[in-house]
Amino acid sequence: KAGVTQTPRYLIKTRGQQVTLSCSPISGHRSVSWYQQTPGQGLQFLFEYFSETQRNKGNFPGRFSGRQFSNSRSEMNVSTLELGDSALYLCASSLTGSNQPQHFGDGTRLSIL
Amino acid sequence: GDSVTQMEGPVTLSEEAFLTINCTYTATGYPSLFWYVQYPGEGLQLLLKATKADDKGSNKGFEATYRKETTSFHLEKGSVQVSDSAVYFCALSHRNRDDKIIFGKGTRLHILP
């Protein structure tokens, strides 16, 4: 059974640009959550999508957005990139919700120059 | 609101030493408790879990007991190996609520040969 797949693994962008990250959950999983991981702040919850609807949201500015498709694949978008957005972005999936044990991908490492 | 507090790292031990990583939580009701592990360059993996008071979760030689009286879920291992070097996250969630998992900040563990 394939795990959670995140693409790309690495990205380098410059300030002001925008970026889209992709996450394919484990087959059958309907909930996809996104996290930002940095050395200073640790693991921070961005949002969760379930059946194409955003169900939970963390405390991030509106520049961070996401969506989920009918096949449960999810994308996360960050607009007007700032230096502080440099981080490892992790996606996790579960059968029914972000309160269930999460299955994580290996992340996308985003570096802002 | 709910929260998880872990001991600050890094924790450095010699191979075959006894390991304890402290975790305490603040939560209403009866949450489920988890330990996740993140190896270098990878996402998080569920290590073990406990869903009610006095339950003991165990996996790969690691153990943690759900102590409601002390609101704790300390991670222990009797004899660590170099391959246990990783970041360990304590987490909680409520099965009956549509809320996200709450993660601690993580504890980095270094095992010296």
Side-chain angles (χ1 to χ4, degrees), chain A residues 33-105:
Chain A
S33 297
W34 289 89
Y35 298 84
Q36 182 195 65
Q37 186 177 23
T38 59
Q41 298 298 317
L43 199 63
Q44 294 187 283
F45 175 80
L46 280 154
F47 30 65
E48 181 214 354
Y49 284 86
F50 181 83
S51 292
E52 302 179 63
T53 301
Q54 187 180 88
R55 188 158 67 175
N56 282 303
K57 190 176 189 305
N59 296 321
F60 278 81
R63 300 185 297 106
F64 292 81
S65 63
R67 59 177 175 169
Q68 187 180 33
F69 302 95
S70 58
N71 62 357
S72 293
R73 191 177 71 84
S74 177
E75 289 182 346
M76 190 192 92
N77 185 274
V78 188
S79 62
T80 321
L81 286 165
E82 301 177 0
L83 291 177
D85 297 334
S86 294
L88 179 67
Y89 289 88
L90 291 166
C91 166
S93 74
S94 66
L95 277 171
T96 59
S98 56
N99 59 348
Q100 301 296 314
Q102 301 286 289
H103 298 262
F104 283 81

